[in-house]
Amino acid sequence: MGSESNNTMTKADLARAIHDLGVFNKKQSAELVELVFNTLKQRLESGERVKISGFGNFEVRDKDARPGRNPHTGDDLTIEARRVLRFKPSQKLKDQLNATPVSEDELAQIRE
Amino acid sequence: MPMTKSSLIDAVAADADLPRKRARQVINTIFDTMTNALAEGKRIEMRGFGTFAVRVYDGYTGRNPRTSVPVEVDPKRSVHFKVGKELRERINGAEGVELEDDGDESDDT
């Protein structure tokens, strides 16, 4: 169906969840997902912070120019001043991710 | 003024011409569904916006900075967000940004 894989959630999965509310048809459901993310993008583009309680906060930050290096050639270069988007997950979201302790398998993967 | 979940609900209600109650249902469904996906260890890919992925962090021995008493910090999971190309470019204005990444150590798309 619309779903990419068992391991990745996409907009199609969100549209399906909205459709499952039994209120909107499939086209409306997909349009609502687009509307929500377009709204978030517009606000962030204008430099506003977005705070979704229970999920997390998005914040645009200004980064100064700094010296860097081309990782392929090793040449020195200047990384231009730029704006980056930071996401900080809420404590509630982090708690939900840690409802079960981190397993030995998970640890083995990051320790390798 | 930051946008909050409540003002997002207002915006969606106005733009989609929905009762506020319906708009709230939509927004809650979206973030609850995303939360559940992450809790199951799934990645979330929102094209044009960015990707969310669960990352595991190893435990370590920290120190209470005031008392300098060592504390064991357990391994934990958190969420890493990587901004999508479209949003990254919009945030930086029209002129192209040279770097592929946001300068993070991130490895994938």
Side-chain angles (χ1 to χ4, degrees), chain B residues 2-71:
Chain B
M3 171 169 251
T4 60
K5 187 151 114 177
S6 174
S7 57
L8 176 61
I9 290 168
D10 290 337
V12 168
D15 288 348
D17 198 16
L18 291 176
R20 198 171 186 284
K21 180 169 164 268
R22 283 283 176 240
R24 186 192 301 124
Q25 223 181 349
V26 168
I27 299 302
N28 283 338
T29 298
I30 286 178
F31 289 106
D32 289 351
T33 305
M34 290 170 71
T35 299
N36 290 338
L38 292 169
E40 289 169 19
K42 291 182 184 175
R43 283 162 50 82
I44 302 176
E45 267 184 36
M46 294 295 131
R47 195 163 286 266
F49 187 80
T51 60
F52 300 85
V54 177
R55 285 210 180 161
V56 177
Y57 298 90
D58 210 339
Y60 55 92
T61 306
R63 223 168 249 284
N64 179 325
R66 213 169 309 171
T67 64
S68 75
V69 174
V71 264

Side-chain angles (χ1 to χ4, degrees), chain B residues 45-101:
Chain B
E45 267 184 36
M46 294 295 131
R47 195 163 286 266
F49 187 80
T51 60
F52 300 85
V54 177
R55 285 210 180 161
V56 177
Y57 298 90
D58 210 339
Y60 55 92
T61 306
R63 223 168 249 284
N64 179 325
R66 213 169 309 171
T67 64
S68 75
V69 174
V71 264
E72 289 304 320
V73 179
D74 289 334
K76 59 180 176 253
R77 303 183 193 92
S78 192
V79 180
H80 181 259
F81 173 73
K82 185 167 182 216
V83 64
K85 186 166 185 282
E86 182 205 335
L87 182 53
R88 184 180 67 229
E89 288 174 356
R90 281 173 61 171
I91 281 175
N92 272 286
E95 79 275 23
V97 181
E98 256 181 61
L99 294 177
E100 279 281 291
D101 260 357

Side-chain angles (χ1 to χ4, degrees), chain A residues 6-11 14 17-18 21 23-24 32-33 35-37 39-45 48-53 55 58 60 79 82-85 87 89 93-94 96-98 100-103 106-107 110-111, chain B residues 1-5 8 11-12 15-16 18 22 25-27 29-31 33-35 37-39 41-49 52 54 56-58 75-79 81 83 86-87 90-92 99 102-103:
Chain A
N6 283 338
N7 202 28
T8 304
M9 158 165 286
T10 66
K11 286 181 185 171
L14 292 182
I18 291 172
L21 294 171
V23 184
F24 305 102
L32 283 165
V33 174
L35 173 59
V36 169
F37 284 94
T39 305
L40 295 175
K41 281 190 275 191
Q42 274 168 20
R43 298 307 177 102
L44 293 168
E45 183 180 5
E48 266 179 86
R49 274 191 304 155
V50 173
K51 301 167 66 164
I52 306 295
S53 65
F55 189 76
F58 296 90
V60 175
I79 297 171
R82 68 209 197 284
R83 298 167 84 198
V84 298
L85 179 57
F87 172 68
L93 176 57
K94 288 192 281 188
Q96 279 171 279
L97 296 182
N98 290 288
T100 58
V102 176
S103 70
E106 289 172 282
L107 286 177
I110 58 165
R111 282 174 180 167
Chain B
M1 272 250 292
M3 171 169 251
T4 60
K5 187 151 114 177
L8 176 61
V12 168
D15 288 348
L18 291 176
R22 283 283 176 240
Q25 223 181 349
V26 168
I27 299 302
T29 298
I30 286 178
F31 289 106
T33 305
M34 290 170 71
T35 299
L38 292 169
K42 291 182 184 175
R43 283 162 50 82
I44 302 176
E45 267 184 36
M46 294 295 131
R47 195 163 286 266
F49 187 80
F52 300 85
V54 177
V56 177
Y57 298 90
D58 210 339
K76 59 180 176 253
R77 303 183 193 92
S78 192
V79 180
F81 173 73
V83 64
E86 182 205 335
L87 182 53
R90 281 173 61 171
I91 281 175
N92 272 286
L99 294 177
D102 59 7

Side-chain angles (χ1 to χ4, degrees), chain A residues 52-88:
Chain A
I52 306 295
S53 65
F55 189 76
N57 298 343
F58 296 90
E59 185 181 10
V60 175
R61 290 199 184 177
D62 288 307
K63 293 272 197 176
D64 289 337
R66 61 179 168 88
R69 189 158 290 196
N70 181 323
H72 295 297
T73 64
D75 293 345
D76 287 333
L77 53 81
T78 302
I79 297 171
E80 304 290 337
R82 68 209 197 284
R83 298 167 84 198
V84 298
L85 179 57
R86 300 293 296 265
F87 172 68
K88 187 168 184 252

Side-chain angles (χ1 to χ4, degrees), chain A residues 12-31:
Chain A
D13 297 297
L14 292 182
R16 189 174 310 105
I18 291 172
H19 183 244
D20 287 347
L21 294 171
V23 184
F24 305 102
N25 66 33
K26 288 187 177 174
K27 182 164 177 279
Q28 290 168 328
S29 303
E31 285 169 355

